[in-house]
Amino acid sequence: MPLGEDRERTLTELMAYHQVSTIEEVHNLHLDAPFEFCRKALNSKIRRYHSTIYDLSAQKLGVDAFDLIFVGDVLLHTFSPLRALVSIAPLCRGTLIISSDLANEGYGQPIMRYIGGEERSRDNRSWWIPNRSCLEKMLKRLGFKNVAVVGHHTGVRKPEGYVYDRTIIHATK
Ligand SMILES: C[S@@+](CC[C@H](N)C(=O)[O-])C[C@H]1O[C@@H](n2cnc3c(N)ncnc32)[C@H](O)[C@@H]1O
């Protein structure tokens, strides 16, 4: 998110949402506690690594590459979706799964639509939506030879009643 007042207001809103008064409590309630709950419930050995997507590398993660990488609703929140994909492409030796809202327009032309608005609004952390052609071309440019839409994930977000539709894309090299 942009720094300064924008960021301060977002953090204040998150504290109000969780009814706490410190960023540390937000961090726990918003990020750590739900993750730990799931990890314990599933008896998982998963290791969590906090990082901006731009800084991910095999060396930092201590692995060669991953068989499966899932990127669900992340790219639209990045200032630079292409740069984000550049970071994760080398980390994928198997399938990259992207779940994303896609723009409809473009008439076959690759389009990345700006959705950040002119001023801060309620959804203040979303910046870009690609159309299908744009996402396919970026992935192919980064070495994924096979890029296919394999389905959709739809549902209703509560309590707002907002109906969402995410396109599910599988990409392999
Ligand atoms: C809407 S949530 C999606 C969470 C989850 N992947 C899912 O599919 O339900 C957006 C996620 O993008 C992450 N995110 C946004 N910008 C990021 C960045 N620059 N680097 C890494 N993660 C980022 C946020 O931390 C948040 O967890």
Side-chain angles (χ1 to χ4, degrees):
M1 63 189 95
L3 299 177
E5 192 198 333
D6 201 311
R7 183 173 185 276
E8 294 309 316
R9 280 178 59 188
T10 298
L11 295 179
T12 303
E13 284 169 11
L14 273 172
M15 286 192 278
Y17 176 80
H18 286 292
Q19 299 178 346
V20 294
S21 55
T22 66
I23 300 302
E24 289 72 24
E25 288 170 296
V26 166
H27 196 274
N28 183 45
L29 287 171
H30 205 75
L31 297 171
D32 286 339
F35 182 85
E36 279 306 312
F37 176 85
C38 295
R39 193 179 62 76
K40 281 190 188 130
L42 297 170
N43 199 20
S44 169
K45 295 197 182 88
I46 194 167
R47 183 165 62 91
R48 194 171 204 204
Y49 186 93
H50 285 280
S51 169
T52 162
I53 197 167
Y54 303 124
D55 289 346
L56 291 178
S57 69
Q59 194 188 15
K60 277 197 179 164
L61 294 169
V63 294
D64 293 334
F66 294 98
D67 299 323
L68 190 149
I69 294 183
F70 174 70
V71 180
D73 270 357
V74 172
L75 297 176
L76 83 161
H77 296 300
T78 60
F79 287 161
S80 173
L82 178 59
R83 193 175 147 217
L85 288 174
V86 165
S87 298
I88 54 176
L91 293 171
C92 185
R93 67 176 158 224
T95 305
L96 170 64
I97 303 177
I98 295 183
S99 168
S100 177
D101 197 2
L102 291 184
N104 289 323
E105 65 263 37
Y107 303 103
Q109 293 298 312
I111 302 284
M112 181 73 83
R113 175 153 54 92
Y114 173 69
I115 54 166
E118 289 181 28
E119 56 189 34
R120 193 177 181 285
S121 62
R122 216 178 62 78
D123 179 7
N124 53 69
R125 281 167 283 167
S126 297
W127 307 106
W128 301 104
I129 295 189
N131 67 3
R132 179 173 167 174
S133 169
C134 176
L135 194 51
E136 276 176 2
K137 281 185 166 41
M138 289 196 299
L139 289 168
K140 287 191 172 165
R141 182 76 170 75
L142 298 176
F144 292 93
K145 292 193 178 68
N146 312 299
V147 180
V149 170
V150 297
H152 286 262
H153 171 61
T154 56
V156 180
R157 196 171 68 190
K158 293 178 179 173
E160 303 96 325
Y162 162 74
V163 178
Y164 64 82
D165 177 14
R166 299 288 180 266
T167 302
I168 312 297
I169 289 153
H170 284 190
T172 59
K173 293 172 178 167

